[in-house]
Structure formats: C-alpha cells, structure tokens
Amino acid sequence: MKKVVYASMLAVGAFLSFGAQAVTICDAAKLGGKSGAGVAPASGTAGTNFMVRAITPNCSANVNMDGQDGTSGAWFAVGAASVKGANTFAGHTNGGAVSPSAKCAVPGGCTLGEATTAMGVANTAAQNAGGTGTGTGTGTGT
C-alpha cells in the first residue's frame, strides 16, 4: 500500500511540474520569416496552469518568445526578443509589466536563447513579487 501511495505522489508531482515547464511560444527560425501561429502555452487546470483556456498566439515574423507557468499556475512569465532588435524584454502577470531586460550580445541579432534568459528573469521577478497572482482566466482572444 505504501508503494502505491508513494507512486501516486510521484505521478502527481510529475504532472504538476509539467505545467511549470517553459515553452517556446514563438520561434522566428521555424516561422521562416513569416508571421504565423505560435505554440499555445499549457492550459486547463486552475492551480496548475495560469491559463485556464488555451490561447493560440499569432507570432510576428521576427519574434522569439518563451513563456512559463509560475508555481502552481500562480503567474505566467514571458521573455521575448526580435531577431532584428538590440534588447530582450521580460514581463509577468504577478504585477510585472513588460519592460526591457538586457542588451542582446549582437545588436540586430537577438536569439531565442536570449529570449529564454529574459523569461527566466521574469519568472524570478514574479516569484519574488509575492502575492497570489490568481485570476478568473475567463477572457477570450482572437
């Protein structure tokens, strides 16, 4: 019986941590210089995912963007950069507006990795901001 309970706890932990995985929402290289549909972040269960309803983003041709659910879906953090820009941008839903994060190593050549780093900065800022970051998640997008 103890083994079943332990295995169940591991399974639940693995499921909950899945919601906290970063996702590449927009990958300029994969879009091949054209705008198009990005990857929808995880959604569904309140208390696991920030987004309760799936929202498929429309990505601009030259944008790289990563996103990540915060602890138990309490917030969502993003990092982005234009492949033609000089800065990365970071923001989160726990009271953090989108703002410049860092200069790119090569001005006019920002990378997806730099957008991922900016997302990490936003996630840390959201975590340090405190608060619950809860909401209804009932909005719709087009």
Side-chain angles (χ1 to χ4, degrees):
M1 180 67 178
K2 287 182 183 178
K3 289 181 182 179
V4 171
V5 171
Y6 182 67
S8 298
M9 289 171 55
L10 287 175
V12 170
F15 176 74
L16 291 177
S17 66
F18 178 75
Q21 298 298 313
V23 61
T24 297
I25 298 169
C26 298
D27 185 339
K30 286 185 179 179
L31 289 172
K34 298 178 182 176
S35 62
V39 175
S43 63
T45 308
T48 302
N49 304 109
F50 182 79
M51 293 185 200
V52 177
R53 294 187 181 146
I55 300 170
T56 302
N58 187 19
C59 299
S60 296
N62 298 312
V63 172
N64 289 312
M65 182 169 69
D66 275 1
Q68 182 174 17
D69 276 315
T71 304
S72 299
W75 66 81
F76 195 79
V78 294
S82 169
V83 297
K84 295 181 178 183
N87 297 302
T88 61
F89 296 86
H92 58 85
T93 62
N94 201 10
V98 174
S99 59
S101 179
K103 297 271 185 200
C104 295
V106 177
C110 296
T111 66
L112 179 57
E114 289 169 317
T116 302
T117 300
M119 187 246 350
V121 168
N123 197 42
T124 300
Q127 192 171 23
N128 293 336
T132 63
T134 59
T136 61
T138 59
T140 59
T142 56

